[in-house]
Amino acid sequence: MVVVRVGGADVVYTRLGRGPVVVLAHGAGADGRMWEPQVEALADEFTVVAWDEPGSGRSGALPAGFRLEDFAWALAAVIEDVGLGPAQVAGLSWGGTVALELYRWRPDLVRSLMLVDTYAGWKGSLTPEEVAARVEGARRMLAVPREEFDPTLPGLYAAGPPERFAALLEAMGRDVRPESMAIQLSLMAEADESDLLPRITVPTLLLWGELDARSPLDVAYAFRDAIAHAELVTLPEVGHMSNLEAPEAFTAAVRAFCRVHA
């Protein structure tokens, strides 16, 4: 476990393995532990870094007024702290939006992008009606008493949470801070990074669950159309949390891409 002080927050990350650096950014309502299968599997060939973003997991509380740009600068500080040069950066869902924002501000730190079941922000990828529905759903979820709070968003899995990771998901769920999740979802709702997509010049993998109900394949197709030379890989019968629903196939796709672009 490594701690970096950036933007008024203590940011914790784990680092395992040796070789070209691969950085993994988690989704909202999760932390770096969601990447456990990938960290363990890829460390034989890569230096694998999984952060707990500010306000999540073992990292410190979010400073007041923290913006999407601040998350990106915090991730940049982690990559610089690792000290192995530009990274291959993967982000799932909200983590993909953070990875895009990192590329906006610090493209020099990004060797390649792996955008997983993600969005160009909700505003940038979904209809206004869908964004409004999600905002209202988040409001209701966050309004309950702390002892009743359940950070599980609807539509995460194609066939329910994978039993093999039940203990991991339960542990992460217990540690979610409602105040952090409220900020994550609010920033996601307002973000529109569609202007950035045509300006991406690094190799880009789009890795999607075929049955993703939260970020449907139409979103992946829009990314593919906007990003020159982007490669789309779909995982059959898998939903939004594709790295946990099909960890072996997911990791194989990441490994193949990272080998080519290391």
Side-chain angles (χ1 to χ4, degrees):
M1 186 180 84
V2 185
V3 181
V4 179
R5 181 74 175 174
V6 56
D10 289 327
V11 180
V12 172
Y13 69 89
T14 58
R15 171 179 175 169
L16 190 66
R18 297 182 65 182
V21 61
V22 177
V23 172
L24 306 173
H26 59 80
D31 58 52
R33 286 174 290 181
M34 67 163 277
W35 296 109
E36 187 175 284
Q38 285 70 48
V39 171
E40 293 177 356
L42 293 170
D44 65 337
E45 190 172 351
F46 301 95
T47 300
V48 189
V49 173
W51 82 332
D52 292 352
E53 71 179 25
S56 299
R58 298 160 298 176
S59 290
L62 280 174
F66 218 69
R67 304 162 297 168
L68 179 57
E69 176 183 342
D70 297 311
F71 282 100
W73 283 105
L75 185 55
V78 168
I79 295 172
E80 290 181 322
D81 191 68
V82 172
L84 295 177
Q88 304 200 71
V89 181
L92 188 149
S93 193
W94 154 254
T97 304
V98 173
L100 285 171
E101 190 73 1
L102 169 69
Y103 185 81
R104 182 187 297 280
W105 294 102
R106 293 296 308 272
D108 58 301
L109 293 179
V110 181
R111 184 177 301 280
S112 70
L113 282 169
M114 291 167 279
L115 304 173
V116 183
D117 297 284
T118 190
Y119 317 87
W122 284 352
K123 185 181 287 186
S125 290
L126 304 174
T127 66
E129 295 77 14
E130 177 63 20
V131 174
R134 292 189 181 201
V135 168
E136 175 58 22
R139 186 196 66 76
R140 292 195 302 268
M141 178 184 72
L142 293 161
V144 301
R146 181 65 179 92
E147 61 273 13
E148 299 175 20
F149 174 65
D150 179 359
T152 307
L153 294 166
L156 291 181
Y157 306 98
E163 182 61 31
R164 64 196 282 194
F165 297 119
L168 172 64
L169 293 169
E170 182 179 350
M172 281 196 298
R174 285 195 303 267
D175 292 340
V176 173
R177 305 170 213 176
E179 60 277 13
S180 295
M181 195 167 183
I183 292 170
Q184 291 169 332
L185 297 181
S186 175
L187 292 173
M188 179 74 99
E190 290 299 319
D192 182 353
E193 310 222 80
S194 56
D195 68 300
L196 178 64
L197 303 185
R199 306 205 303 270
I200 294 174
T201 59
V202 296
T204 302
L205 173 66
L206 308 172
L207 187 51
W208 241 261
E210 179 187 37
L211 302 181
D212 190 341
R214 290 199 62 80
S215 182
L217 273 177
D218 285 349
V219 177
Y221 297 147
F223 271 74
R224 185 184 60 186
D225 292 343
I227 302 173
H229 311 300
E231 172 190 357
L232 174 60
V233 173
T234 59
L235 300 175
E237 301 182 5
V238 171
H240 191 64
M241 295 291 289
S242 54
N243 76 304
L244 294 179
E245 284 195 88
E248 291 80 14
F250 183 100
T251 303
V254 169
R255 185 187 297 276
F257 178 82
C258 289
R259 277 178 175 171
V260 171
H261 300 293

